Amino acid sequence: MSAPQNSPVIETAHRAKAAAATLAPLPRTARDTALLAVADALTARTEEIVAANAKDVAKARAAGTADGIVDRLTLTPERIGAIASDVRDVVALPDPVGEVVRGSTLPNGLDLRQIRVPLGVVGIIYEARPNVTVDAAALCLKSGNAVLLRGSSSAYASNTALVGVLRDAVEGAGLPADAVQLVPGESRESVKELMRARGLVDVLIPRGGASLIRTVVEESTVPVIETGVGNCHVYVDELADLDTAVDILVNSKAQRPSVCNAAETVLVHEGIAEAFLPRAVEALAKAGVTVHGDEAWQRASGDVVPATEEDWGTEYLSYDIAAAVVPSLDDAVAHIRKWTSGHTEAIVTRDTDAARRFTALVDSTAVMVNASTRFTDGSQFGFGAEIGISTQKLHARGPMGLPELTSTKYVVTGDGHIRG
Amino acid sequence: MSAPQNSPVIETAHRAKAAAATLAPLPRTARDTALLAVADALTARTEEIVAANAKDVAKARAAGTADGIVDRLTLTPERIGAIASDVRDVVALPDPVGEVVRGSTLPNGLDLRQIRVPLGVVGIIYEARPNVTVDAAALCLKSGNAVLLRGSSSAYASNTALVGVLRDAVEGAGLPADAVQLVPGESRESVKELMRARGLVDVLIPRGGASLIRTVVEESTVPVIETGVGNCHVYVDELADLDTAVDILVNSKAQRPSVCNAAETVLVHEGIAEAFLPRAVEALAKAGVTVHGDEAWQRASGDVVPATEEDWGTEYLSYDIAAAVVPSLDDAVAHIRKWTSGHTEAIVTRDTDAARRFTALVDSTAVMVNASTRFTDGSQFGFGAEIGISTQKLHARGPMGLPELTSTKYVVTGDGHIRG
């Protein structure tokens, strides 16, 4: 439908679609062989990859990029070895393609089977980490999809080198090189063209900051899977065990604050506030966390910063947490419904009724009962790998593994069946 | 995200979201009771519905609307009885909500369950048939969703009456009336506002002509499920049984030409063309079908109209069919890949290898082997009901029953689990 023609991005998408048609009917062994070749090639060509990466790193340093971001951008022989090892782990995962999702013999004798098939062409739009280039390509190949990679311009030299290595390995294994392509161009324009390539690209998965994701969601005519923004809550119920509540709160917030499954708000039932707040404030302070609290929290400690309405909607991704006392579980649920991004919410309680009510009423990707919000993760859930965490309700919700990179088709077999 | 505020459509969507939150945790009995009340009310208030419908019918006749469309618009006591009976059938279907889709105990002892939950708010944009109003509302209620109905302005009086009956019945059964709402306004503007109500509406399902669907797909920021356009193919292989091939071809084309799973093109292997074409031409003519054929077909009969390139891409929905002879199965697949809308394709063959290759290479919602394309249908597939046939790959593909109107969430239960 009206995708712009003759641009380098659209030509790339056409080649991806052709490659996808070749990939789809291939058996598992063909895809696994290509992935093992990719792993070997990454190790064999480490020097070349490191050299290309050094250009990106030098450019980033010259631009005064923060150390943390430069670190995420940097590839070392050790890191490349770990990436190659991750590819081998993907090879070992079960093949989602060909799985019969449902099947029956209909009353008229027709055999009905619903079978998993690759999505086709998957576009990934992501930020500076070059390891995502290989991870995403490996998961797409494993699930029989062609992939269009649109990484950050700050990693363009690294990604160009990595995709070169991947394409050579894939082609050497007898698969079409165009199964893995870097989207040409470093400008925003190339993202826009990708978003309008409906009919060529089957799904776009934006991975990155909230503004990137919002742009893609609002402007794309290609179907999008929204990922990653996590304004996660921990609710400490009236009947919570205090030690458990402190442990889960601190772990949810501070074990790794920069990720989407870290907690950003704690809500505490007023019946337990007097006992819990002083302990929570102390434990959070010890973990280096600044509390942005309501009046009750401010009364509990002079170190609590007053919370404004803005705090309830903020994904800090830092050693900060918003904190409020609520009159009831239903008020906690109402607060969460109003402010959550729909990622993960946890309840700490010993009350079975409260646990049941909270899990029924909270409409988020994951609801934790007496467990840290940090567990919402593909590898924690045992999926072996993850291409992102969907916070939308359509197609996939929560950590997306290989089955989430597939669609299905119906195969219906008869012996001359016609409708009467 | 930037949905326009304070318009009647957006206010409707806000009420739907609130109703969805009330509906989601309700058990099956509550929803079933409301649906039975709906069925009873439709019968009890037949007179009122017929009176409202008479206004739409009079308006349509005055505007010179074609008889077929007026017929589809018309509600009689008998038809209302059938609609009520369909609602009772929906009540009897299994409840999709609460089904545990996957579950396991993780190595660390956490209990992981992925559970079906309602999508939330479902928007349906559809054309003149007022029976869709009740069907769609019943399927949404059964699956725990609130529904926003945006029917054709030509059925506005009928839909207003029907939705009034539905809301009264739902409310009388103790559920929120706003679980069922008609989108206010008869103008295109109201559709546009619905398409921008991201964050309030969870999915839009357009049902209708190709241009309506294209508009929604291109302009909506709310996730869309694309339905219904069917440029379906029948491929008659070299090793087809001739009688079977004629029967399947005629049934696929002519049993009900106006629907999306009717065949629009027949492709015939050149090795069987000499034997098959004369019989096909005769049988199609007898069924009243005009053949738009390539040169081989034109040679087979003087009644064959020359096909142009445009014919390969046309969804006739009439007693017309495009027809070509192809040198091989792979050429048939290439033709299909180029022209199909991705709905349904059939192969007629006695060759197991050909059947296997065709089903592997054809990437459409449904692939029929020795069966009519007309079987792609929710009730034929045994789903009991259908809200539409998705021709996209994301979320749902093919006939959509109740499970396709749900999402999932993860519930993870521990006893104080934190990440190390």
Side-chain angles (χ1 to χ4, degrees):
Chain A
M1 279 181 201
S2 69
Q5 297 303 309
N6 300 325
S7 86
V9 173
I10 295 302
E11 282 165 20
T12 305
H14 274 288
R15 286 196 297 271
K17 189 175 178 176
T22 306
L23 280 179
L26 292 179
R28 170 174 183 165
T29 45
R31 289 174 270 130
D32 283 357
T33 303
L35 284 169
L36 289 173
V38 162
D40 291 343
L42 287 167
T43 312
R45 292 169 67 178
T46 291
E47 210 171 308
E48 173 187 339
I49 297 164
V50 169
N53 179 251
K55 291 183 208 167
D56 289 331
V57 170
K59 217 168 92 182
R61 286 209 192 284
T65 307
D67 284 351
I69 294 173
V70 172
D71 181 59
R72 282 161 59 171
L73 179 61
T74 304
L75 291 174
T76 61
E78 196 191 356
R79 285 181 179 182
I80 294 170
I83 293 170
S85 166
D86 286 345
V87 173
R88 290 196 180 87
D89 290 345
V90 170
V91 174
L93 292 174
D95 184 7
V97 177
E99 186 196 346
V100 177
V101 177
R102 67 180 146 189
S104 62
T105 302
L106 301 177
N108 62 6
L110 276 177
D111 283 324
L112 177 75
R113 283 177 302 148
Q114 185 183 21
I115 299 174
R116 275 198 197 287
V117 295
L119 280 167
V121 178
V122 177
I124 317 269
I125 304 175
Y126 56 104
E127 293 182 342
R129 300 166 180 259
N131 63 311
V132 173
T133 305
V134 182
D135 284 354
L139 291 172
C140 287
L141 274 179
K142 175 77 186 182
S143 51
N145 294 292
V147 65
L148 291 174
L149 298 156
R150 208 295 182 181
S152 164
S153 58
S154 64
Y156 199 71
S158 313
N159 288 338
T160 303
L162 286 168
V163 169
V165 171
L166 266 61
R167 287 170 58 88
D168 290 350
V170 164
E171 195 163 33
L175 268 57
D178 287 337
V180 182
Q181 292 181 89
L182 200 62
V183 175
E186 300 181 52
S187 72
R188 282 262 155 180
E189 203 47 50
S190 68
V191 177
K192 285 200 173 155
E193 289 185 34
L194 199 58
M195 293 192 297
R196 306 295 298 182
R198 191 173 175 98
L200 296 175
V201 180
D202 292 289
V203 60
L204 277 183
I205 306 176
R207 291 178 51 164
S211 95
L212 167 70
I213 292 169
R214 190 165 53 243
T215 302
V216 176
V217 158
E218 298 235 324
E219 296 183 17
S220 182
T221 60
V222 172
V224 174
I225 296 178
E226 198 174 344
T227 66
V229 176
N231 184 13
C232 303
H233 296 73
V234 173
Y235 167 61
V236 180
D237 186 48
E238 186 169 18
L239 295 185
D241 176 80
L242 288 175
D243 290 338
T244 304
V246 169
D247 288 350
I248 288 176
L249 171 58
V250 171
N251 188 262
S252 297
K253 175 68 256 183
Q255 197 250 350
R256 195 170 167 207
S258 63
V259 292
C260 60
N261 58 19
E264 306 292 7
T265 297
V266 55
L267 303 170
V268 179
H269 191 288
E270 65 180 11
I272 201 175
E274 200 180 333
F276 181 71
L277 265 49
R279 294 191 50 180
V281 164
E282 189 190 338
L284 288 167
K286 209 167 146 192
V289 176
T290 302
V291 177
H292 304 250
D294 65 2
E295 288 182 11
W297 280 83
Q298 291 168 47
R299 280 195 299 275
S301 160
D303 292 337
V304 170
V305 177
T308 65
E309 176 119 330
E310 208 189 326
D311 285 293
W312 311 128
T314 299
E315 188 192 18
Y316 297 110
L317 299 174
S318 61
Y319 287 93
D320 294 87
I321 194 163
V325 168
V326 290
S328 70
L329 182 148
D330 283 6
D331 289 295
V333 168
H335 179 107
I336 290 169
R337 281 197 168 267
K338 183 167 182 189
W339 295 106
T340 185
S341 64
H343 193 297
T344 301
E345 333 295 345
I347 181 173
V348 186
T349 188
R350 285 179 303 182
D351 178 352
T352 54
D353 285 354
R356 193 171 144 89
R357 188 162 175 82
F358 189 83
T359 53
L361 294 182
V362 168
D363 183 29
S364 293
T365 288
V367 184
M368 302 286 164
V369 179
N370 296 326
S372 170
T373 59
R374 290 277 293 115
F375 284 108
T376 304
D377 175 276
S379 61
Q380 292 294 322
F381 278 10
F383 300 169
E386 148 188 318
I387 194 115
I389 297 179
S390 164
T391 51
Q392 72 178 33
K393 293 187 189 171
L394 231 55
H395 185 71
R397 197 177 192 205
M400 293 186 286
L402 292 170
E404 285 73 21
L405 286 171
T406 65
S407 182
T408 59
K409 74 180 174 196
Y410 288 97
V411 175
V412 186
T413 308
D415 49 19
H417 284 69
I418 58 173
R419 268 184 80 170
Chain B
M1 281 181 204
S2 68
Q5 297 303 310
N6 302 323
S7 86
V9 173
I10 296 301
E11 280 165 20
T12 306
H14 275 287
R15 286 196 298 271
K17 189 175 178 177
T22 306
L23 281 178
L26 291 178
R28 169 174 184 164
T29 45
R31 289 174 270 132
D32 283 358
T33 303
L35 284 169
L36 290 172
V38 162
D40 291 345
L42 287 167
T43 313
R45 293 169 66 178
T46 291
E47 210 171 307
E48 173 187 338
I49 298 164
V50 169
N53 179 252
K55 291 183 207 166
D56 289 331
V57 170
K59 217 167 92 181
R61 287 209 191 284
T65 307
D67 283 352
I69 294 172
V70 173
D71 181 59
R72 283 161 57 171
L73 178 62
T74 304
L75 291 174
T76 61
E78 197 190 357
R79 285 180 179 183
I80 294 169
I83 292 171
S85 166
D86 287 345
V87 172
R88 290 195 180 88
D89 290 345
V90 169
V91 174
L93 292 174
D95 185 6
V97 177
E99 185 196 344
V100 177
V101 177
R102 66 181 147 188
S104 62
T105 302
L106 301 176
N108 61 6
L110 276 177
D111 283 324
L112 177 75
R113 284 177 302 149
Q114 185 183 20
I115 298 173
R116 275 198 197 287
V117 296
L119 280 168
V121 177
V122 177
I124 317 268
I125 304 175
Y126 56 104
E127 293 182 341
R129 298 166 182 258
N131 63 311
V132 173
T133 305
V134 182
D135 284 354
L139 290 172
C140 288
L141 273 179
K142 176 76 186 182
S143 50
N145 294 292
V147 66
L148 291 175
L149 298 156
R150 208 294 181 181
S152 164
S153 57
S154 64
Y156 199 72
S158 312
N159 289 338
T160 303
L162 286 168
V163 169
V165 171
L166 267 61
R167 288 170 57 88
D168 290 349
V170 165
E171 193 162 35
L175 268 56
D178 287 336
V180 182
Q181 292 181 89
L182 200 61
V183 174
E186 300 182 52
S187 72
R188 281 262 154 179
E189 203 47 49
S190 68
V191 177
K192 287 202 172 155
E193 289 185 33
L194 200 56
M195 293 193 295
R196 306 293 300 181
R198 191 173 176 97
L200 297 174
V201 180
D202 292 289
V203 60
L204 276 183
I205 305 176
R207 292 179 50 165
S211 95
L212 167 71
I213 292 169
R214 190 166 51 242
T215 302
V216 176
V217 157
E218 298 235 324
E219 295 183 16
S220 182
T221 59
V222 172
V224 174
I225 295 179
E226 198 173 345
T227 66
V229 177
N231 183 13
C232 303
H233 297 73
V234 174
Y235 166 61
V236 179
D237 185 48
E238 186 169 18
L239 296 185
D241 177 80
L242 288 175
D243 291 338
T244 304
V246 169
D247 288 351
I248 286 176
L249 172 58
V250 172
N251 187 262
S252 296
K253 174 69 255 182
Q255 198 249 351
R256 195 170 168 207
S258 63
V259 291
C260 60
N261 58 18
E264 306 292 6
T265 296
V266 55
L267 303 170
V268 179
H269 191 288
E270 64 179 12
I272 202 175
E274 200 180 332
F276 181 71
L277 264 49
R279 296 190 50 181
V281 164
E282 188 190 340
L284 288 166
K286 209 168 148 192
V289 176
T290 302
V291 177
H292 305 250
D294 65 2
E295 289 183 10
W297 280 83
Q298 291 169 47
R299 280 195 299 275
S301 162
D303 292 337
V304 169
V305 178
T308 64
E309 177 120 330
E310 206 188 328
D311 285 292
W312 312 127
T314 300
E315 188 190 18
Y316 298 109
L317 298 174
S318 62
Y319 287 94
D320 293 88
I321 194 164
V325 169
V326 291
S328 70
L329 183 148
D330 282 6
D331 289 295
V333 168
H335 179 109
I336 290 168
R337 279 198 169 267
K338 182 167 183 188
W339 295 105
T340 184
S341 64
H343 193 298
T344 300
E345 333 295 344
I347 181 172
V348 186
T349 188
R350 286 180 303 182
D351 178 354
T352 53
D353 285 353
R356 192 172 146 89
R357 187 163 175 81
F358 189 83
T359 52
L361 293 182
V362 168
D363 182 30
S364 293
T365 288
V367 184
M368 303 286 164
V369 178
N370 296 325
S372 170
T373 59
R374 290 277 293 114
F375 285 108
T376 304
D377 175 275
S379 62
Q380 292 293 323
F381 278 10
F383 301 167
E386 149 189 316
I387 194 115
I389 296 179
S390 164
T391 52
Q392 72 178 33
K393 293 188 188 170
L394 232 54
H395 185 72
R397 197 177 191 204
M400 292 186 286
L402 292 170
E404 285 74 20
L405 286 171
T406 64
S407 182
T408 60
K409 74 179 173 195
Y410 288 97
V411 175
V412 186
T413 308
D415 49 19
H417 284 69
I418 58 173
R419 267 183 83 170

